[in-house]
Structure formats: structure tokens, C-alpha cells
Amino acid sequence: MKKVIFTASLVLIFLIAVGFLFAEKEKTPTVAACPTFHYLLEELKDISEVNTVKSDSTGESLKMIENGEVDMIISGRALKEEEPRLLSQKIGDGYDFIFAEEVIILEEEMGFIPFYTDLSSEKIINDFSYISEENLSRVDNPYDYLKEGVVITSLEETLVGEVVHVLKSDGSRVRLSRLPRLYYSSDVKEEIVDIVTEIIKEN
């Protein structure tokens, strides 16, 4: 009888130990980013708390998070109506450039385009050398002007209008023409979100 009790105790201890090890060994969260923010992944990949994946677009990143391939994504735009609702944070400097339809403009062309904003005109002019008082109008409801020119704003959860792609002459994106956001699932621990957010804000 004592032998049975001893054996049962060993088995119980073993099972408790295995359960403890599995509880301790949690899955490392993975962060994906669209091309605009691939450089941020370089800063993140050296920390042990997360893995990183480069995607070709926000749309691809969202499919990854839906399929459970990643836990967090860094994106430069608000989500479209048909896209999944996720927890999110704005995590750095930048703006949302929107228009009635999706368009591409070159940085040098910004001096010839009418812009409308509900944000600080002074800051925008300071951030973009090709925008001036002559082609930037401060308005109360910029969404009413989506067909008149390009709107510069800070969207909340949902994309209004379509994204404007502002590119340099070499084809790279003008960084501040995108407002970086972190999207993540509810399974991600708050402390991990905080770590990722802080590193991104520093860069």
C-alpha cells in the first residue's frame, strides 16, 4: 500500500511539474509590419519578448493576425470598415493623408495641391517643406473637403475616404505622411504591448 501511495505521489509531482513548465513557457508574441515600418522591426527583433515578421502591406498583416500567425501589427493607416476590429494605439508622430479616392503624389507636388486640416497648420507646415500657408486651409470638418483636395488629419478607428500615398522621388514613402498604429489581439499581455510601444516611440 505504501508503495502504491509513493508511486502515486511521484506521478502527481511529475504532472504538477510538467504543468508548471508549460505554464511558464508561454508563446512569444510576433509582430508584423508593413513596408513603411520595416525599420521599426529592426529595433524590436533584438528583444527577447517578441518575434518579428515583415509583411508587404497592412492587408497582409491583418490576414496574418486573423490566421493566428502574428499577435500584433504595426500599420500606417486606420482600419477599413470591412476589416476586423482590433485593440489599437497610436504610437508615434505622423498624419493621415486622405482623399476621395486612393492616389499617389510625389513630395515635390505637394506645393501645388490644396490641403485641408483640422490640426495645427503651423506644425504641418513645419513638418512638410512643400506645404505652405498658401495651400493649407484650417477647417472645422475636413471630411467635407475630401473632393476638394487632400485632407490631413488624425483618424480614430476607421478609415474615412481613401489613403493618399506621399512618395519621395526615389519611391520611398514620406515618413510623416503616415501615422503609426499598433494593432493587437486581446490575448497579448499589457506589459508586452507597453514594451513594444515604448521602443517604437523612441524610434
Side-chain angles (χ1 to χ4, degrees):
M1 184 67 179
K2 288 182 180 180
K3 188 176 180 181
V4 172
I5 294 173
F6 177 73
T7 303
S9 298
L10 284 178
V11 170
L12 182 61
I13 291 169
F14 175 76
L15 291 174
I16 291 172
V18 169
F20 178 77
L21 287 173
F22 273 102
E24 287 293 306
K25 188 175 176 58
E26 295 180 358
K27 175 179 172 286
T28 302
T30 301
V31 184
C34 60
T36 303
F37 300 109
H38 281 175
Y39 74 95
L40 291 175
L41 295 181
E42 296 301 314
E43 303 298 328
L44 289 173
K45 72 179 184 180
D46 293 330
I47 66 171
S48 60
E49 287 86 355
V50 299
N51 297 318
T52 61
V53 174
K54 292 180 179 179
S55 73
D56 291 329
S57 66
T58 293
E60 183 183 14
S61 294
L62 288 168
K63 286 180 182 177
M64 288 180 177
I65 206 168
E66 280 188 289
N67 295 335
E69 299 170 42
V70 302
D71 306 283
M72 295 178 275
I73 65 174
I74 303 169
S75 170
R77 67 165 172 82
L79 297 176
K80 298 177 182 179
E81 286 283 358
E82 66 273 16
E83 291 175 333
R85 299 298 97 184
L86 296 165
L87 297 174
S88 67
Q89 291 186 31
K90 295 176 183 178
I91 50 175
D93 293 331
Y95 304 88
D96 291 307
F97 278 62
I98 55 176
F99 185 55
E101 56 188 73
E102 187 173 2
V103 293
I104 297 173
I105 62 174
L106 294 177
E107 186 178 26
E108 293 84 352
E109 296 174 336
M110 295 173 82
F112 308 101
I113 295 171
F115 291 95
Y116 299 90
T117 188
D118 56 348
L119 305 175
S120 167
S121 298
E122 184 179 351
K123 188 173 188 308
I124 290 171
I125 291 169
N126 184 62
D127 286 338
F128 300 97
S129 56
Y130 290 94
I131 298 179
S132 66
E133 293 180 358
E134 283 70 37
N135 67 326
L136 178 63
S137 301
R138 180 75 165 73
V139 294
D140 290 331
N141 190 356
Y143 309 123
D144 292 341
Y145 296 84
L146 280 171
K147 294 183 179 180
E148 308 298 323
V150 173
V151 168
I152 303 174
T153 189
S154 177
L155 296 168
E156 292 307 320
E157 294 184 1
T158 308
L159 178 66
V160 179
E162 297 292 339
V163 174
V164 175
H165 305 276
V166 187
L167 305 180
K168 297 179 181 179
S169 56
D170 63 2
S172 62
R173 193 179 302 280
V174 174
R175 164 60 191 87
L176 289 177
S177 68
R178 287 295 178 95
L179 175 58
R181 296 169 167 87
L182 181 70
Y183 294 106
Y184 52 97
S185 67
S186 57
D187 296 332
V188 180
K189 287 188 173 182
E190 187 176 342
E191 54 264 36
I192 298 297
V193 174
D194 291 342
I195 290 170
V196 172
T197 300
E198 285 307 308
I199 289 176
I200 292 171
K201 284 181 178 179
E202 290 172 4
N203 294 277

